[in-house]
Amino acid sequence: MTLNLTAAPVSDLDILVQSLSDIAFPVSVEGATDSYDISEPVPLFTIDTAAAARDIALSAATQVGWRYLLTDGPEVATADLDLASGAGGGGARFNNLTRGSIALNFKEALNVAGKLAASTDAVYELRILEVPALNMGAVWLERTDGSLFVPYLDAARLSGEPPAPDAAFPNELSRQASIRMGELPHRKDAQGAN
């Protein structure tokens, strides 16, 4: 098994650390720490909802940032950095910090993806695919001849279940995008019959 992880620019870690130092974390009853263990960043990709509705291959997905997993004992959070924008847009910038069930689901999805990758001789590139407009996201083990997905952000389908591999994730993404865009085949047929 090989799991490739694209390296983020070293300066992005400095941006993350500075941004986290500017955030006031609530103090827990037992006393809080202001330091997290920071994982290697995972590339964060998205695909346009209209493209997903038309079943355009995930090769149309573009990287929009980096996600770091932050852990402090049982405490888990994720931090996202956006990629530099446009010419002269400067370096990456801090986007958000997420705690709670989404961060926990993301951590579990990473663990499941790691076990999947370890169970095969295939070479995968570790990515994240999120489509915020659809509230859908998965850890994406990308490979040109067969990607694997472990959804962690899809309240309608996960219904409290722990993250698990889902071969139907790309199809469900396309279906949800079609609903959002009003492009379901039965709607087209109904319009064409009039």
Side-chain angles (χ1 to χ4, degrees):
M1 167 293 292
T2 304
L3 191 57
N4 291 333
L5 185 59
T6 305
V10 175
S11 61
D12 285 8
L13 183 58
D14 295 334
I15 293 167
L16 176 64
V17 170
Q18 180 58 49
S19 298
L20 291 176
S21 70
D22 293 341
I23 296 173
F25 292 97
V27 177
S28 68
V29 175
E30 298 174 14
T33 65
D34 57 1
S35 65
Y36 278 99
D37 289 329
I38 302 173
S39 72
E40 291 296 318
V42 180
L44 177 59
F45 285 73
T46 194
I47 188 169
D48 179 78
T49 307
R54 292 188 308 270
D55 282 327
I56 291 177
L58 291 178
S59 61
T62 57
Q63 186 179 358
V64 293
W66 299 95
R67 174 158 302 150
Y68 293 81
L69 180 66
L70 313 173
T71 55
D72 181 17
E75 294 294 317
V76 176
T78 62
D80 292 354
L81 292 182
D82 290 341
L83 292 178
S85 57
R93 75 176 178 87
F94 181 77
N95 181 318
N96 66 59
L97 178 74
T98 303
R99 296 170 69 174
S101 62
I102 293 173
L104 289 169
N105 280 349
F106 175 70
K107 178 183 177 189
E108 183 59 29
L110 280 176
N111 290 337
V112 170
K115 290 175 185 173
L116 277 173
S119 69
T120 180
D121 291 334
V123 177
Y124 292 99
E125 183 177 328
L126 181 62
R127 296 179 172 183
I128 302 163
L129 177 65
E130 280 190 1
V131 183
L134 302 176
N135 195 30
M136 294 182 72
V139 172
W140 176 14
L141 296 177
E142 196 278 330
R143 200 179 135 158
T144 55
D145 63 347
S147 293
L148 302 173
F149 296 89
V150 182
Y152 62 87
L153 178 63
D154 186 352
R157 293 176 62 222
L158 291 177
S159 348
E161 295 293 319
D166 185 359
F169 180 80
N171 293 336
E172 183 62 15
L173 177 65
S174 180
R175 188 181 81 77
Q176 292 292 334
S178 293
I179 291 169
R180 175 59 63 100
M181 300 301 294
E183 295 180 3
L184 279 179
H186 73 276
R187 289 186 183 177
K188 287 181 182 178
D189 293 343
Q191 290 172 351
N194 290 335

